[in-house]
Amino acid sequence: MTMDKSQSLFKLTRLRPDFHRIESVDSTNNMVKTLLKQEPPQNPIVLASKQTGGKGRHGRKWLSPEGGLYLSVGIDLRIPVEQSPILVMLVGCACVASIRELTGTKVGLKWPNDLLIDDRKVGGILCELVTGLKDFYYVIAGIGINVNTNLENMHPTVQRTSTSLASIIGHPLSIERLAADIINNIDTRLDQIESKQGIDPILREWLEYSVTLGKEVSVDLGEQIITGKAIGITRDGSLIVEQGNGSPTHVTVGDVVHLRSDDTK
Ligand code: BTN
């Protein structure tokens, strides 16, 4: 375990962190998985300055140069495993709350869990469920945020569709501080869902931060693309899309595109 600035900023009641601040790794999610196999049931947390094999959703790559936040948290599940999708939403809410607190920037959540500022992606979350660890289920919550990332050397498509926090607020931001704040916000929300309050406060918070609901969307389901209005979210995190014929479809996995109103005419 390494002592690091971020660790002194932790205010934790639920998580028992086994914190690793490292320079470079293939993927912080992979490193947490390895740590979990060695020594559950602590909460391994890895914060890396860069990744050489960062993973995105659907097997995509996550470009991970210096300047970004690459953070993974191993969370032991204390709710029924069927409810584990709520953790993806919980982590999304924790990230939005932290970015808003530290930068005052109005970041929102695009379903299922992209962090967006003015329709440009500033971060993403990859949650992986780990089974087979004695009696425990773990969720590895991997968070990637363009904090001080220089996007100028990146592919033109990335430049067009992405942004960084530093470019929005006009100055660099402490990655350690943001990481600690996100971890603290995950901690309080875990306490909440494991208490009598259950998952309802997270569902409400997610709705408040959502920039997808109410929008016309097209969803790539792999074998087909559907279009319609995003009208809600189920308790297991599926997006409810109302198609032209009025029938609601529940989308569990897929890529969503927000359509402008003139795209749907
Ligand atoms: C997405 O596709 O939007 C999710 C991207 C998640 C990237 C983060 S960076 C830290 C953690 N380690 C990884 O390999 N991926 C996640």
Side-chain angles (χ1 to χ4, degrees):
M1 191 202 291
T2 345
M3 191 60 192
D4 177 75
K5 203 164 53 176
S6 7
Q7 216 170 346
S8 61
L9 299 167
F10 289 166
K11 290 189 204 107
L12 304 176
T13 54
R14 154 65 166 85
L15 292 169
R16 283 172 299 139
D18 170 22
F19 183 68
H20 301 257
R21 176 67 166 118
I22 53 166
E23 185 49 36
S24 179
V25 69
D26 62 338
S27 153
T28 53
N29 271 29
N30 290 352
M31 181 162 163
V32 164
K33 205 174 290 173
T34 305
L35 290 165
L36 277 174
K37 286 188 183 139
Q38 288 164 4
E39 220 177 320
Q42 275 215 330
N43 300 108
I45 301 179
V46 177
L47 176 64
S49 301
K50 60 181 182 199
Q51 297 182 119
T52 53
K55 303 185 293 184
R57 290 171 50 238
H58 304 309
R60 295 185 191 119
K61 288 190 183 139
W62 185 259
L63 290 176
S64 309
E66 249 170 276
L69 174 146
Y70 312 107
L71 172 69
S72 295
V73 184
I75 303 170
D76 49 317
L77 263 191
R78 296 189 191 167
I79 54 173
V81 68
E82 305 75 51
Q83 287 184 1
S84 63
I86 196 70
L87 283 202
V88 187
M89 299 166 89
L90 181 151
V91 172
C93 291
C95 291
V96 169
S98 299
I99 294 172
R100 290 190 180 190
E101 277 155 27
L102 293 182
T103 68
T105 307
K106 205 152 184 287
V107 58
L109 285 172
K110 176 181 163 201
W111 187 90
N113 234 345
D114 285 349
L115 299 161
L116 287 201
I117 298 175
D118 289 336
D119 230 25
R120 283 171 182 244
K121 186 155 169 165
V122 73
I125 294 157
L126 174 70
C127 282
E128 299 181 79
L129 183 66
V130 184
T131 55
L133 295 167
K134 294 192 189 144
D135 299 332
F136 298 98
Y137 281 109
Y138 268 84
V139 167
I140 300 176
I143 301 158
I145 302 178
N146 303 329
V147 181
N148 306 317
T149 318
N150 183 355
L151 299 171
E152 274 167 27
N153 301 326
M154 294 204 184
H155 192 275
T157 316
V158 177
Q159 291 191 38
R160 207 177 50 248
T161 56
S162 306
T163 188
S164 71
L165 292 177
S167 67
I168 300 282
I169 60 176
H171 59 84
L173 190 71
S174 159
I175 290 174
E176 282 80 11
R177 208 189 152 76
L178 178 59
D181 212 66
I182 291 171
I183 294 162
N184 293 339
N185 272 319
I186 291 176
D187 187 85
T188 48
R189 284 163 180 76
L190 282 173
D191 245 357
Q192 199 174 41
I193 64 165
E194 291 159 3
S195 74
K196 273 207 306 267
Q197 297 183 66
I199 67 174
D200 286 348
I202 297 297
L203 290 169
R204 280 197 297 274
E205 190 180 19
W206 195 91
L207 291 178
E208 183 194 325
Y209 294 154
S210 168
V211 291
T212 298
L213 289 196
K215 285 219 170 75
E216 293 294 330
V217 294
S218 105
V219 193
D220 188 345
L221 301 175
E223 72 288 1
Q224 61 162 326
I225 295 178
I226 60 165
T227 55
K229 188 171 181 178
I231 56 166
I233 192 102
T234 63
R235 292 178 75 76
D236 65 0
S238 302
L239 185 69
I240 308 171
V241 178
E242 189 176 61
Q243 294 176 262
N245 56 12
S247 67
T249 303
H250 289 196
V251 181
T252 46
V253 187
D255 274 327
V256 165
V257 175
H258 291 164
L259 301 173
R260 288 192 304 274
S261 48
D262 47 345
D263 287 332
T264 60
K265 281 178 191 148

